[in-house]
Amino acid sequence: MTATEMYRGLLRMAHEALAGTMAGLTPEQATWDPPGTAFSIAANYVHVVGSEDMAIQRLVRGREPLATTSWAGRTGVSEMPPLGPGADLKTWSRHSEVDLAALQRYGQAVYAATDEYLATLSPDVLAQPLDLSAFGLGERSVVFVLTIVLLNAALHCGEISCLKGLQGLRGYPI
């Protein structure tokens, strides 16, 4: 198994866990504003999907993200959330309008685009350097970005599960 095959498998598992955790939510449950500094399930989900779209398409591939090209106006959110250090998702989640079904379709498109790209990626590309100094990360490799995308999906899946539990719902699907 190559490293790219491993990342494809790991991301597929993370995407399936996230989709399963999101399954069955009503728009009201997804946009519920929890107390404190936590932000809604929808905000967590759009952060994961939007970050992956941006990371893979723009940072790794050097292309515009799906959200601004083939999925422009169809992402399921009235505006994309802020990304990067210091992003205020709590404020964004309180004023952004979310169409949960459309957002989930956008998520599936992002996952498919990521997998399609990784299927063509040769293992030597994983070590290629990327300038991430705009994010305060300096020069990092493609594999670093893939790892961040994977961790982001897994960590926010846990946060979504917790937010479901706070609403009396079952978190993870298994």
Side-chain angles (χ1 to χ4, degrees):
M1 173 183 286
T2 67
T4 53
E5 290 169 338
M6 181 189 72
Y7 271 97
R8 282 183 78 196
L10 290 170
L11 282 165
R12 191 174 305 116
M13 289 172 57
H15 295 152
E16 288 171 1
L18 189 55
T21 302
M22 291 292 297
L25 283 169
T26 67
E28 294 76 24
Q29 293 163 337
T31 57
W32 171 69
D33 186 23
T37 59
F39 42 89
S40 71
I41 289 170
N44 273 278
Y45 184 69
V46 74
H47 166 74
V48 169
V49 173
S51 294
E52 181 170 329
D53 190 11
M54 180 69 69
I56 300 301
Q57 297 305 318
R58 181 169 286 159
L59 297 180
V60 175
R61 298 186 79 182
R63 298 179 174 186
E64 287 301 307
L66 299 181
T68 61
T69 58
S70 60
W71 278 82
R74 301 184 305 136
T75 60
V77 293
S78 57
E79 65 181 273
M80 292 303 287
L83 296 174
D88 186 0
L89 283 170
K90 183 71 168 182
T91 299
W92 174 88
S93 71
R94 287 183 172 154
H95 74 267
S96 181
E97 295 176 26
V98 176
D99 175 339
L100 186 58
L103 177 56
Q104 289 172 305
R105 287 190 296 274
Y106 164 61
Q108 292 303 311
V110 168
Y111 302 159
T114 296
D115 188 62
E116 180 181 303
Y117 173 66
L118 291 179
T120 67
L121 198 63
S122 62
D124 59 305
V125 172
L126 295 176
Q128 286 183 345
L130 297 171
D131 181 8
L132 303 179
S133 55
F135 302 99
L137 298 170
E139 188 174 279
R140 301 293 179 128
S141 65
V142 170
V143 78
F144 175 84
V145 173
L146 292 177
T147 302
I148 293 300
V149 167
L150 178 63
L151 286 172
N152 194 49
L155 294 170
H156 283 282
C157 186
E159 195 165 347
I160 290 167
S161 183
C162 178
L163 290 166
K164 286 179 72 176
L166 290 171
Q167 294 179 72
L169 306 168
R170 181 181 182 152
Y172 296 117
I174 51 174

